[in-house]
Amino acid sequence: MAEVGSYYYDKLSWPEMKEAVAQRRVIVLPVGSTEQHGPHLPLDVDNFLCQSVCEGAARLAPDDVLLMPPLSYGFNWHHIDFPGTIGIAWDNYVRFLLDIVRSVAHHGFRKVLIVNGHGSNRPLIEVAARQATMDNEVICAAFTYFEIAKEAVGRVRESPRGWVAHADEIETSLYLYLRPEGVRTELAEAENNMLPSEFWWQDLQEGGRIGMMEWWSTFSHTGVLGDPTLASAEKGEALYRAVTEELAKLIREFKERPIRPREDHH
Ligand SMILES: [Zn+2]
């Protein structure tokens, strides 16, 4: 490879890409959203945090991975009452992901990880990963970065259940650790105006018993759902380390995972 140790997909030339295929590298596609994150954080939170943990994992497993340019727009029309948010329709979103996987599969890659940074993308990346595995000679898995380090999130958080959801203690801590100049700390304010329910609440670590999403502005005036005043760079560092280590472990395991033959029982 021309750039020694380069794990950035789009930094390779096409002959180098053939080499990357021969090395059976795992494709990692970061996906996020361009979306409001309260008055104290910029709109790039989901993209920046997801991209950062993917880069951190790539540094730990540099020979096993190819990191794709991120998909920076997501499924989030429910945030549209807040200026700046960009919403992509669910079907466009799924088809876009399927086209990306189809392309890398065509070039010969067999392992694809879709790493997500935005809660509401979850059902769509799941559908896309399942469909992509049926449509191509690949195995494709999809997950949200904080899900692979749930234990660490549980250790770090001080927020009670229902308070780790959006622009909260966790996201603000990670941002404080990775790019403190982007956090308007003086504007950070806790908010949770969810209607109390035995069945429905939002929480990235331990979500409610049923799924539902109302317009964000019906339950949040600031755009926040959580308590960013509990955030710290120390918490962010602990989370970053946990997520990147788990992600690197997953990449290595996924690379060696055999794709077993189908058996037609008709
Ligand atoms: Zn977010």
Side-chain angles (χ1 to χ4, degrees), residues 33 35-37 41-47 49 79 117-119 145-146 165-168 171 204:
S33 74
E35 157 182 300
Q36 75 83 14
H37 273 76
L41 287 170
L43 274 73
D44 75 346
V45 170
D46 295 343
N47 296 330
L49 298 183
H79 280 274
H118 167 59
Y145 70 81
F146 37 78
H166 190 73
D168 50 37
E171 284 189 322
L204 298 179

Side-chain angles (χ1 to χ4, degrees), residues 43 48 88 95 105 122 127 148 175 188-189 203 236 264:
L43 274 73
F48 174 64
I88 305 298
R95 290 200 176 95
R122 281 188 282 196
V127 167
I148 64 165
Y175 214 103
E189 205 185 304
D203 199 288
D264 190 342

Side-chain angles (χ1 to χ4, degrees), residues 1-3 9 11-23 25 66 107 109:
M1 300 215 175
E3 288 187 52
Y9 185 94
K11 294 287 184 267
L12 303 188
S13 65
W14 73 256
E16 289 160 3
M17 196 57 80
K18 288 168 64 171
E19 221 174 295
V21 171
Q23 292 167 345
R25 283 175 182 255
L66 261 195
H107 300 311
F109 292 103

